[in-house]
Amino acid sequence: MDGALLRSLTPSVLGILVRRGADFAAAEDAVQDALAEAVRVWPADPPRDPKGWLVTVAWRRFLDAARADTARRRREELVDEGPAPGPASAVDDTLQLYFLCAHPSLTPSSAVALTLRAVGGLTTRQIAQAYLVPEATMAQRISRAKRTVSGVSFDRPGDVATVLRVLYLVFNEGYSGDVDLAAEAIRLTRQLAAAIDHPEVAGLLALMLLHQARRAARTTPDGSLVPLAEQDRGRWDTESIAEGVEILQAALARDRLGEFQAQAAVAALHADAPTAEETDWVQIVEWYDELVRLTGSPVARLNRAVAVGQADGPRAGLAALAELDDSLPRYAAVAAYLHEGDGDHATAARLYAEAARKATNLAERDHLTYRAAQLNTRRSGC
């Protein structure tokens, strides 16, 4: 069973059901039922037209689930409009669905969570980790969002800022998580940039391109992480870097700075350094100052502490880190890195081991465990 194929078809099938009159929550349930049926049936009897098969089965499940009198009357009105046999439309509805999920009746955080779950293909656990909240809390938030949009009209799409936030989180999960969604996020952001003249849309596209340009060098053939300072910069995609820098410069020239432009500026400074030692950490700290001013994000403050440690020394970085909540994800890993730079290998090894226990990504966990073991071996003189 090709799980990637099912994931790629889900947004379009969902969009067809919504356009045909299904409320969003019921449409999502129907599509999930159709996907489950595909997993059961396709291995023995694969359809000639997978998308048309999913549309037909999902539509039937939606109609079967409509039990109330009003729903039954609506079903009767829509029966004749059901999808005809044969190939379904090749129109890409994904970006439209992102805007529909960002409905004005939802708060931005709820709209992002709903879109990530229903259209982006992320699990509730992955979304919870992105938001730094417990999985149960995120499950409740998504359920409330579904109830809110159930039965509402989808003729008022949400705002660009919410859609950008969704695309950013989808890219982050695709870039470092278990499901490869980075290329899809870039594709959709390109579509959005072509349709909307907005500096933050351009900033997000630049950020994605600059991060994606380093992707080939981030891991070894066996999947182990390679820290930025140790990456083979000859493997970086110079064309993507040049495109990202050009897009960013045009956005910054408009003097409407936003968080994605600031993040892209940091990424551009890393990409511009011929070697790790030549990285302009002073400018990176300045951009993180702007990012903290714009967002107040604890993650931005955490990354700023690393940059301060590089620009002004590990003890300055540890002083900046001490101002933050030590329960933040990756706090222990950052503290370990700064203590290692300061020569306190015993504390660094202990913190690397602690960070490894908390890591949710296997490659990151293995890397942190290896760093702890390296330091312990060095201390023991072996």
Side-chain angles (χ1 to χ4, degrees), residues 53-332:
W53 188 98
L54 286 172
V55 169
T56 301
V57 172
W59 184 255
R60 288 172 180 166
R61 293 300 173 94
F62 164 69
L63 294 179
D64 290 343
R67 295 188 179 92
D69 289 342
T70 301
R72 282 199 298 270
R73 286 195 297 271
R74 186 170 182 79
R75 178 191 62 192
E76 291 167 359
E77 294 169 358
L78 295 174
V79 163
D80 292 337
E81 300 177 16
S89 169
V91 175
D92 183 357
D93 302 300
T94 309
L95 190 57
Q96 179 188 8
L97 281 174
Y98 273 63
F99 275 95
L100 292 178
C101 286
H103 197 271
S105 63
L106 295 173
T107 63
S109 62
S110 293
V112 171
L114 177 63
T115 313
L116 290 172
R117 182 71 185 93
V119 186
L122 274 63
T123 66
T124 303
R125 174 173 295 182
Q126 289 170 322
I127 302 169
Q129 290 169 352
Y131 269 88
L132 311 182
V133 299
E135 184 177 354
T137 300
M138 183 53 64
Q140 292 175 354
R141 184 179 299 176
I142 293 171
S143 294
R144 286 196 299 270
K146 287 181 179 180
R147 288 195 297 271
T148 299
V149 300
S150 179
V152 304
S153 171
F154 278 87
D155 57 355
R156 294 184 303 147
D159 63 12
V160 175
T162 300
V163 174
L164 287 178
R165 176 63 49 190
V166 174
L167 290 168
Y168 172 68
L169 292 174
V170 169
F171 177 82
N172 281 349
E173 193 58 46
Y175 189 67
S176 61
D178 299 325
V179 181
D180 186 358
L181 296 167
E184 174 69 357
I186 291 174
R187 183 182 71 83
L188 293 172
T189 306
R190 283 191 187 278
Q191 286 187 8
L192 188 59
I196 299 176
D197 183 19
H198 192 296
E200 272 294 83
V201 177
L204 179 58
L205 179 57
L207 175 63
M208 290 178 175
L209 290 170
L210 289 165
H211 278 303
Q212 189 77 343
R214 302 200 303 262
R215 188 170 188 177
R218 290 185 72 243
T219 57
T220 62
D222 66 0
S224 301
L225 286 181
V226 180
L228 177 60
E230 301 172 19
Q231 289 177 15
D232 178 1
R233 299 184 178 221
R235 299 185 64 198
W236 289 1
D237 183 347
T238 55
E239 289 186 7
S240 291
I241 290 173
E243 182 186 6
V245 169
E246 182 180 359
I247 292 171
L248 173 63
Q249 289 174 339
L252 291 175
R254 301 178 66 174
D255 200 23
R256 290 168 54 194
L257 184 64
E259 63 173 299
F260 296 124
Q261 295 169 73
Q263 288 191 57
V266 171
L269 286 167
H270 283 299
D272 188 53
T275 65
E277 293 73 23
E278 296 174 87
T279 303
D280 190 342
W281 287 104
V282 173
Q283 274 203 66
I284 288 176
V285 171
E286 292 174 355
W287 277 112
Y288 273 124
D289 288 339
E290 290 288 350
L291 190 58
V292 169
R293 180 184 64 80
L294 288 165
T295 68
S297 164
V299 175
R301 294 179 184 274
L302 194 67
N303 291 332
R304 179 185 179 278
V306 176
V308 170
Q310 292 288 342
D312 301 325
R315 293 192 180 182
L318 286 167
L321 186 66
E323 300 174 2
L324 305 179
D325 185 345
D326 63 7
S327 66
L328 279 172
R330 297 189 67 250
Y331 181 100

